[in-house]
Amino acid sequence: MNRLDEMFTTGPETLVALSRAIVAGPVSHYSKEVEEVSQGSAPIPVRWIISGQLEHPETLKGDVPEGLLRFSREEQSPFLPAPEPVPTWEAAYAQWQREDKAVVFLGKKPGEILRVLPSGTGERNLISLVRLIVSIHKTARNEDEETAAWQRHLLSGAPSTAEGRRIALRSLLTRHWSDVASTLREVMSRKDAELRQYAYGIVAYGIVRDKWRDTAGPAEFLCTQLANETDAEVAGGYRQYIDLVLRFASDENFREQRMALRDQLQSCRDR
Amino acid sequence: MSDGTKPTPTASRSGGSPACNPAIQPCPLAVTVSITLSAAVACPGHPLSITAAGTPSGGTYSWTVSGGSAELVDGSGAPASSGPSVNLRSFKSDDATGKIPEQIARVGVTYTHPNGTATDWKPVKTHQIEFAVTNKAITSGFTEARETATAVQLWSFHGAEMSTDPQVEIKLDASCPRKVDCAANHQVGWLQTMLTDARQARYSHTLVHVVVATPIRDVWNATVFPFYSTVTAFTGDRDKATVHHEDSPSFPASPGAPWTDPRAGIGASPPPVPPPATNLQLRSMNFSDTFTAWLVVQNIEWGAHHLADSFAYQGHFDWSMQLNVTVDTTKTVGSRVSPKKNRITAPAEIQSGKGGGTPNLAAPIFNTSAVLKVDPAAGI
C-alpha cells in the first residue's frame, strides 16, 4: 500500500473490522526481555519483547475467549529502521509504557492474535477509541448511517482523540461531495492545524482516487481553503496536496478530461 | 540454409582407403542430418525447441550456437550441446533505450556416425519487443520535522517524499508466435539502490548513529526479489501497466527521537544530568540519503537463470533527501527544531535507459542490515 492510501484509508477502524474479537484490560506478569543491545561503547537496548497476561479482560468486540490470555510483542528502538511497514496510526502505540493496559485483536482462526497494542491515557487511550468504533459499527445499519454517525461525532464537540477525528474524516470519502462539503468547511475553521491539514489532504486524496464524480466542488474547496489559510507553514502543506492533484490532472491519458481541474488548481496554487 | 547434408564417408575423410565402388560391394549408407525448429521465431528469453534428425541412426549429435546472447539448454535450463533435441533461448536488452532488439543466432549441429559425419545449421530469429513509457513526471515532496510532546521525527507527513507513476506499454513484434504468453513472461517494476546513508542523533553527551554498508539494495513492501516493491506482469500485446514508485525515508521510525538521551541512567558511565539544562537533551539530527531508482521490465524466464541480465531498463533517476536540524529543547514543542523541512532533490522526469549506474541485486537490504551504534561524545 502506498503512503497516500495508507494515510487516508487505514486506521484503527481497519484493524477493528479485521478482528473477530477484541479484548482489553490491565496486564499482569508483565516482563520486558532485552534481546539485543546497540553496538558502540555505550550500548542501549535495541530489540526487546514485552509479554504479559490479560487480567479481567473487557470484551470490546465479539465473544470472550476462554481461559487466560497471554501475549507477547516485539518492539525495537525507533532509531533502527523498521523491518516491515508499520501503519502510521500505530505510531502512538509503538512503545509500551509500564502502566499501559493491553488491547488484544483476535483473528478469525481460533487463538489467532492479529495484534497486541498498548492503551494509555489521553491520545493513547486506545480502549476508548476501539469502544467508539465498535459502538458506531454496531448501531449503524448501513454505510450511510455509519458515516452520518461519524459526522455527528466530528461536529458534536464531544471529547475525542485526534485519531477519532481522523476516522470521522476518512468516513466522508464514501459520501457525495454535497453531503460532506459543509462538514469539511466547519473543520477547516477550527484552530487545530493538524486536523485542518488532514481534512485538506483527504479532499485532495478524494479527487485523485476518483471518489467524487465532479471535481469542481472539491477543487474549489482546495483553492478557497488555501487562500483563507493564515499559517504559512500549514499553507505549505496544502500546496503539497495541490501538487499531488496537479500531477493527477496532468496524466497523459486523461489530459483533456482533467484540463479544467488542472487550470483551476494551477491558478490558485500560484496566486 | 543447410550446408552439410551430403554424406561424408569415413574412408574419404581419413583418406586411407579406396573409394567405395557399389559394383564390387554395397556402399555404406550416406550420413545426413537436418535441423527442425518448433516455431519460426523465438520469443525473448523463452526456450525454442530445436530437433535434429540424423541418418543412419546410431550416431551422436554435437550442437553449437553463435550470435548475441543465445545459448543452448536442456529441458531444465542447464547448458546442453548433445542429443537430438536442444532448446535455444536468447535475451539481450539495449541499456540505452530499454528495447529488446531482434537477434539472429546461428545454430549448428554435427552428426557423427561410424559411416561419417554430416552438419546442418539454421539461423534462428528471436523477435524484438519495444516499450513505450509515458507519465514520466516525478513528484518531489518534502522531508519534514514533526514534534510531539516526547519526540521528534523526520519524515514526510503530506504524502510520499518522492513518488512517480509512469505507464509502460509492451509492444510485441508482429512475428511473435505466442503473444499472450510472451507478454506474460515480462513483468515491470522498480529497482532501487541506496548509495549513501547518514542518520545521526546528537544528544549533549551521546552520539546515536545508524551504520550500514552502502551501496545496498532497497525494498519496501516487496513481493518479488529483487524488486523494490510490487511488480506487474503484462497480460498481452499492447498491455499498459502503471508502475507506482515512492519512497519516504524516515529517521527515526515512529514515535521518533526522544527529546532526552536514551542513554540516561544506563551503564556504568551514563551521561551527566542537568545542570546545565542542555545536559541529556537532543541537540541536533543529521539525516541524508542518496538513491538511484530504475524502472525495469524483467524477462521472467531469463531472470531465473541470468538475474543480472534479465532487465530491460525503461528509465532511471538519481534522487536524494537531506534534513539536518538543530534542536533547542528550551523552546515549546512545535518550535524546537530548525529547519522544519527540506524538499528532496530529483529530476522533473524519469530519464531514459539504465544511466551510468548499476543496481545492487545482492540479498541484503537496508532495513534489515542497518545497525545502531551508540557512543559517548564530548559535551555540547
Side-chain angles (χ1 to χ4, degrees):
Chain A
M1 180 176 286
N2 68 47
R3 178 122 170 79
L4 207 61
D5 290 324
E6 196 257 321
M7 282 172 66
F8 294 119
T9 65
T10 66
E13 72 276 24
T14 319
L15 185 55
V16 169
L18 279 175
S19 303
R20 177 185 56 81
I22 305 167
V23 290
V27 175
S28 68
H29 301 86
Y30 171 90
S31 76
K32 178 179 176 178
E33 297 287 334
V34 174
E35 300 275 295
E36 184 184 338
V37 296
S38 61
Q39 297 183 5
S41 54
I44 61 170
V46 169
R47 290 192 175 90
W48 56 89
I49 294 177
I50 301 287
S51 59
Q53 185 175 304
L54 215 56
E55 287 291 316
H56 313 298
E58 172 192 358
T59 302
L60 302 178
K61 180 184 176 182
D63 301 325
V64 185
E66 289 177 8
L68 289 171
L69 195 55
R70 292 192 178 86
F71 67 86
S72 67
R73 151 189 163 99
E74 293 177 15
E75 292 187 355
Q76 68 169 44
S77 164
F79 287 111
L80 265 187
E84 298 290 337
V86 178
T88 307
W89 71 268
E90 285 190 25
Y93 314 103
Q95 309 270 301
W96 203 285
Q97 294 170 21
R98 184 64 187 88
E99 299 308 316
D100 283 341
K101 294 177 178 176
V103 186
V104 181
F105 297 84
L106 297 159
K108 305 279 190 254
K109 299 172 198 160
E112 180 191 16
I113 293 179
L114 297 177
R115 196 95 92 255
V116 180
L117 296 174
S119 179
T121 57
E123 288 293 326
R124 291 182 73 253
N125 189 338
L126 184 59
I127 293 175
S128 289
L129 186 57
V130 171
R131 268 198 212 110
L132 174 67
I133 295 166
V134 172
S135 74
I136 287 180
H137 280 181
K138 255 186 191 168
T139 51
R141 285 170 299 181
N142 53 46
E143 198 174 59
D144 278 355
E145 284 191 8
E146 190 177 318
T147 306
W150 281 115
Q151 255 178 297
R152 282 195 299 278
H153 172 77
L154 189 61
L155 297 172
S156 68
S160 179
T161 59
E163 194 58 53
R165 292 185 286 273
R166 285 194 287 268
I167 297 171
L169 287 171
R170 284 194 285 273
S171 76
L172 302 184
L173 284 170
T174 61
R175 302 292 295 270
H176 293 297
W177 173 253
S178 58
D179 295 335
V180 300
S182 62
T183 301
L184 286 162
R185 283 194 198 95
E186 195 282 330
V187 168
M188 296 303 289
S189 69
R190 295 186 186 180
K191 285 183 180 171
D192 184 345
E194 291 274 326
L195 187 67
R196 291 204 306 277
Q197 295 204 52
Y198 193 78
Y200 196 92
I202 218 155
V203 174
Y205 177 80
I207 294 174
V208 303
R209 290 294 183 266
D210 288 322
K211 298 290 183 186
W212 300 301
R213 195 184 306 166
D214 184 359
T215 58
E220 178 57 33
F221 174 93
L222 294 182
C223 287
T224 304
Q225 299 305 327
L226 176 63
N228 291 346
E229 182 58 58
T230 53
D231 184 325
E233 207 171 291
V234 174
Y238 291 177
R239 286 196 179 83
Q240 289 184 52
Y241 287 126
I242 287 192
D243 288 344
L244 174 81
V245 182
L246 282 172
R247 200 180 82 198
F248 165 80
S250 303
D251 188 315
E252 292 171 28
N253 297 305
F254 301 94
R255 199 174 277 276
E256 287 296 310
Q257 297 97 308
R258 296 174 185 167
M259 188 166 63
L261 175 66
R262 192 169 61 248
D263 291 348
Q264 187 179 3
L265 288 177
Q266 191 70 61
S267 63
C268 79
R269 189 201 185 286
D270 300 335
R271 203 176 294 154
Chain B
M1 296 298 179
S2 300
D3 66 356
T5 55
K6 289 185 178 176
T8 309
T10 306
S12 300
R13 190 183 58 187
S14 66
S17 303
C20 168
N21 184 347
I24 301 169
Q25 61 182 36
C27 285
L29 289 172
V31 179
T32 66
V33 68
S34 71
I35 290 174
T36 304
L37 306 179
S38 59
V41 176
C43 293
H46 181 67
L48 176 80
S49 175
I50 301 175
T51 304
T55 59
S57 61
T60 59
Y61 300 86
S62 176
W63 294 86
T64 59
V65 64
S66 61
S69 62
E71 61 186 19
L72 298 175
V73 295
D74 63 18
S76 68
S81 59
S82 61
S85 289
V86 292
N87 297 296
L88 176 136
R89 66 178 179 205
S90 172
F91 174 85
K92 184 157 178 60
S93 63
D94 180 341
D95 284 349
T97 65
K99 293 177 183 174
I100 302 169
E102 176 183 302
Q103 290 191 66
I104 305 289
R106 177 188 159 113
V107 178
V109 67
T110 299
Y111 183 65
T112 303
H113 187 272
N115 290 0
T117 62
T119 61
D120 190 16
W121 69 274
K122 269 192 164 47
V124 183
K125 171 183 159 181
T126 301
H127 70 75
Q128 67 155 7
I129 304 178
E130 293 187 355
F131 301 92
V133 183
T134 52
N135 279 336
K136 296 181 182 179
I138 299 165
T139 300
S140 299
F142 289 86
T143 312
E144 303 161 87
R146 176 167 285 183
E147 303 175 28
T148 68
T150 56
V152 56
Q153 187 180 21
L154 309 182
W155 200 21
S156 61
F157 298 95
H158 298 86
E161 288 171 48
M162 176 283 298
S163 68
T164 181
D165 290 280
Q167 193 175 61
V168 181
E169 179 183 9
I170 186 169
K171 296 177 173 181
L172 298 172
D173 189 75
S175 65
C176 174
R178 43 190 289 283
K179 285 197 166 65
V180 171
D181 289 343
C182 185
N185 191 30
H186 294 86
Q187 58 189 4
V188 60
W190 285 88
L191 304 173
Q192 183 162 288
T193 296
M194 175 187 274
L195 304 172
T196 62
D197 173 70
R199 299 170 194 230
Q200 296 185 344
R202 181 67 156 92
Y203 291 83
S204 61
H205 291 83
T206 302
L207 175 64
V208 178
H209 50 138
V210 175
V211 180
V212 68
T214 54
I216 191 166
R217 189 165 65 94
D218 198 14
V219 307
W220 195 241
N221 278 328
T223 52
V224 177
F225 179 84
F227 286 92
Y228 175 81
S229 189
T230 53
V231 296
T232 306
F234 291 106
T235 57
D237 190 20
R238 301 282 169 165
D239 185 30
K240 294 176 182 174
T242 296
V243 200
H244 180 74
H245 183 50
E246 69 169 54
D247 196 2
S248 301
S250 72
F251 178 66
S254 297
W259 298 117
T260 54
D261 193 335
R263 198 165 64 90
I266 293 180
S269 304
V273 298
T278 51
N279 277 3
L280 295 182
Q281 300 301 296
L282 181 62
R283 308 304 308 279
S284 66
M285 294 170 74
N286 292 344
F287 180 25
S288 59
D289 282 335
T290 60
F291 303 91
T292 301
W294 292 267
L295 172 61
V296 296
V297 172
Q298 185 188 34
N299 184 288
I300 297 168
E301 288 186 286
W302 193 256
H305 304 279
H306 305 279
L307 178 69
D309 300 322
S310 64
F311 302 105
Y313 291 86
Q314 304 309 309
H316 75 281
F317 64 97
D318 300 326
W319 70 281
S320 61
M321 55 69 52
Q322 181 175 69
L323 184 57
N324 296 335
V325 299
T326 57
V327 181
D328 182 353
T329 55
T330 63
K331 295 181 176 172
T332 56
V333 170
S335 309
R336 292 179 167 185
V337 174
S338 177
K340 289 282 185 204
K341 65 180 181 181
N342 191 25
R343 192 183 280 280
I344 69 141
T345 302
E349 284 201 336
I350 298 165
Q351 293 156 352
S352 298
K354 186 180 180 185
T358 297
N360 186 312
L361 302 176
I365 58 170
F366 169 73
N367 283 71
T368 53
S369 300
V371 297
L372 191 65
K373 280 189 80 176
V374 181
D375 292 295
I380 54 172

